[in-house]
């Protein structure tokens, strides 16, 4: 969207949508507001329909390509990236468990209701859009097909899923992402009419502050480990990656930041043969910052609605989220789209909670991307050290 000659980013659109929803909710008649609620109902049902397709179209080819020609270095890099993502998720869970009870309060009205939409406006009509399969079926099918693609000689199935992925990416980029601001506008319009918007906005501000602090701590931990493994100054390593961090803040894309990430990784003494391999790969499979945002936002939303937050549920969610992040499309807000199925199937999120997650996530999208690409530099340092040690051992 452009205003005059000024291009408005997705974050800008979301901020405008939230502000407009709160403003118009003060005076807009309920009969008019229900038009937007009806759109939300249709859009939410459409999301339910396409989420299994998104999982199948993104995860299956991602696993297939990850295993294609897989060598030892690829396996090592993938395991380190996945381990970093898991650490980020559990680090966020335990930090949130300590912090959120002190800064967030349970909304007793929301907690007492089995369905939070009970106190909100209803749509004029609904159109059921049943999905072709449930979330877990889509995940299992993606794993089976992805592993199969990586282990067969034929290319027909691989080519089909690459084309299918292109369709899904086009659907996300051209339909779902552009309509998200209108969906978020309707959600905040409805919450304003219901009188719940103040609590939600207050939660947004507190959660964003917590996640920013956790991002800084996560980067310090990643580079302390990288420095320890490589026997280099971790603070110098981190300082060299700051241009990549700043670039990602503007681009909101790990892929678009690859040239800068690669340049700064080389400045950290990583051999070019290792850097040109690990940086593009980690831009796809290492999303520790995005995982942190999703886990923290999910915990906050569950907490204010009085729903249980247990380690056994979140452990499974974090492990599956690490896999889903590998398949996240490279567009602003792509990671949260890949995670919606898990939020729905494993944490029981309804349409309103999913919309709140999307708004919270996009509000911090650039910071999560910056954390992702900066952490890629730490992984490259570790992989370079491991590869160098193996080469010396072979000699």
């Amino acid at each position: 969207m452009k205003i005059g000659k000024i291009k408005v980013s997705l974050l800008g659109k979301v901020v405008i949508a939230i502000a407009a929803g709160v403003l118009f909710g003060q005076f807009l008649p309920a009969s008019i507001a229900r038009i937007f609620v009806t759109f939300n109902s249709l859009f939410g049902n459409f999301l339910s329909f396409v989420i299994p397709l998104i999982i199948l179209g993104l995860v299956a080819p991602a696993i297939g390509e990850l295993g294609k020609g897989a060598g030892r270095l690829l396996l090592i890099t993938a395991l380190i990236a996945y381990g970093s993502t898991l650490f980020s998720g559990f680090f966020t869970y335990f930090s949130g468990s300590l912090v959120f009870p002190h800064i967030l309060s349970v909304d007793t009205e929301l907690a007492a209701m089995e369905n939070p939409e009970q106190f909100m406006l209803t749509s004029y009509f609904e159109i059921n859009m049943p999905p072709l399969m449930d979330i877990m079926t889509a995940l299992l099918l993606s794993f089976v097909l992805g592993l199969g693609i990586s282990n067969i000689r034929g290319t027909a199935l691989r080519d089909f899923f690459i084309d299918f992925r292109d369709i899904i990416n086009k659907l996300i980029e051209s339909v779902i992402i552009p309509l998200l601001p209108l969906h978020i506008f309707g959600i905040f319009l409805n919450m304003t009419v219901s009188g719940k918007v103040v609590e939600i906005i207050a939660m947004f501000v507190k959660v964003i502050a917590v996640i920013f602090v956790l991002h800084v701590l996560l980067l310090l931990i990643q580079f302390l480990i990288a420095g320890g493994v490589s026997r280099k100054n971790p603070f110098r390593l981190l300082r060299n990656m700051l241009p990549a961090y700043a670039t990602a803040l503007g681009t909101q894309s790990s892929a678009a930041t690859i040239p800068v990430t690669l340049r700064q990784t080389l400045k950290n003494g990583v051999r070019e043969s290792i850097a040109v391999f690990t940086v593009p790969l980690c831009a796809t499979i290492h999303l520790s910052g995005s995982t942190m945002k999703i886990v923290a936002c999910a915990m906050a939303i569950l907490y204010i609605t009085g729903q249980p937050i247990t380690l056994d549920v979140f452990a499974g969610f974090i492990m599956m989220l690490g896999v889903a992040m590998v398949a996240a499309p490279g567009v602003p807000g792509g990671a949260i789209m890949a995670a919606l199925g898990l939020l729905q199937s494993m944490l029981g999120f309804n349409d309103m909670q999913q919309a709140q997650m999307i708004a919270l996530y996009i509000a911090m999208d650039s910071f999560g991307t910056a954390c992702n690409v900066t952490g890629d530099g730490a992984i490259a340092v570790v992989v370079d050290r491991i590869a160098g040690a193996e080469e010396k051992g072979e000699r």
Side-chain angles (χ1 to χ4, degrees):
M1 183 174 76
K2 293 184 178 181
I3 299 178
K5 294 184 178 180
I6 302 175
K7 185 177 180 180
V8 182
S9 66
L10 179 59
L11 173 58
K13 295 175 187 177
V14 170
V15 171
I16 293 172
I18 292 174
V22 174
L23 176 63
F24 284 97
Q26 306 295 329
F27 59 85
L28 206 63
S31 58
I32 302 298
R34 287 182 65 193
I35 296 175
F36 295 98
V37 175
T38 302
F39 167 79
N40 283 354
S41 174
L42 296 175
F43 187 76
N45 287 339
F46 178 69
L47 278 180
S48 298
F49 169 76
V50 300
I51 283 173
L53 300 180
I54 290 175
I55 292 174
L56 184 62
L58 296 179
V59 175
I63 294 176
E65 290 181 347
L66 189 61
K68 185 179 179 181
R72 180 175 174 81
L73 198 58
L74 172 61
L75 179 61
I76 290 173
T77 306
L79 288 176
I80 293 174
Y82 184 67
S84 175
T85 301
L86 287 185
F87 176 83
S88 174
F90 284 105
F91 173 65
T92 305
Y93 172 82
F94 289 113
S95 299
S97 298
L98 292 174
V99 175
F100 286 156
H102 299 289
I103 65 172
L104 300 177
S105 58
V106 178
D107 188 309
T108 54
E109 185 176 356
L110 282 175
M113 295 181 178
E114 294 182 2
N115 182 8
E117 285 90 348
Q118 288 177 2
F119 64 86
M120 303 178 76
L121 297 175
T122 58
S123 62
Y124 281 113
F125 63 91
E126 293 186 2
I127 298 178
N128 291 326
M129 305 178 195
L132 298 177
M133 63 189 81
D134 60 34
I135 303 300
M136 190 53 63
T137 300
L139 282 169
L140 292 175
L141 186 59
S142 298
F143 294 153
V144 171
L145 292 175
L147 292 172
I149 289 171
S150 66
N151 287 282
I152 61 175
R153 294 182 178 179
T155 60
L157 189 59
R158 180 181 296 114
D159 292 340
F160 167 80
F161 271 100
I162 289 175
D163 288 341
F164 186 45
R165 178 180 61 191
D166 291 341
I167 293 173
I168 294 300
N169 282 333
K170 195 70 175 177
L171 176 66
I172 292 173
E173 190 171 358
S174 302
V175 179
I176 296 178
I177 296 296
L179 289 177
L180 280 179
L182 183 58
H183 183 51
I184 291 170
F185 166 78
I187 291 291
F188 276 83
L189 176 69
N190 205 346
M191 288 192 297
T192 302
V193 173
S194 69
K196 290 298 172 186
V197 73
V198 175
E199 292 91 334
I200 299 299
I201 294 294
M203 178 197 71
F204 272 34
V205 174
K206 294 175 182 178
V207 173
I208 289 173
V210 169
I211 291 177
F212 179 77
V213 173
L214 292 180
H215 272 164
V216 174
L217 293 176
L218 177 63
L219 288 175
L220 287 173
I221 293 171
Q222 289 175 334
F223 279 90
L224 284 171
I225 294 174
V229 171
S230 64
R231 299 174 185 174
K232 297 179 180 179
N233 186 325
F235 300 104
R236 183 176 297 141
L237 294 175
L238 178 56
R239 184 182 62 193
N240 285 340
M241 292 304 301
L242 291 182
Y245 185 95
T247 303
L249 286 177
T251 63
Q252 294 183 295
S253 169
S254 297
T257 313
I258 284 176
V260 180
T261 309
L262 181 59
R263 183 189 67 196
Q264 300 307 121
T265 299
L266 293 173
K267 285 187 177 181
N268 275 336
V270 176
R271 288 169 295 172
E272 185 174 358
S273 59
I274 301 297
V276 297
F277 168 78
T278 55
V279 169
L281 177 62
C282 288
T284 303
I285 67 174
H286 179 233
L287 284 86
S288 56
S290 300
T291 299
M292 172 175 285
K293 290 188 299 180
I294 292 172
V295 172
C297 294
M299 291 180 68
I301 290 174
L302 290 175
Y303 186 84
I304 67 168
T305 54
Q307 299 180 57
I309 301 175
T310 58
L311 179 58
D312 56 340
V313 172
F314 264 84
F317 173 71
I318 292 168
M319 292 178 186
M320 293 300 295
L321 187 61
V323 176
M325 290 298 94
V326 174
V331 297
I336 188 62
M337 298 309 303
L340 284 180
L342 297 178
L343 290 168
Q344 177 184 341
S345 63
M346 301 188 75
L347 300 185
F349 271 43
N350 55 37
D351 290 344
M352 185 181 73
Q353 290 171 320
Q354 287 180 341
Q356 292 171 356
M357 276 291 301
I358 292 169
L360 253 176
Y361 182 92
I362 293 175
M364 299 171 289
D365 195 24
S366 58
F367 290 102
T369 303
C371 183
N372 293 337
V373 302
T374 307
D376 294 346
I379 291 179
V381 170
V382 174
V383 173
D384 183 60
R385 175 67 177 178
I386 293 173
E390 289 184 347
E391 289 176 3
K392 290 180 180 179
E394 291 175 358
R395 293 172 187 171

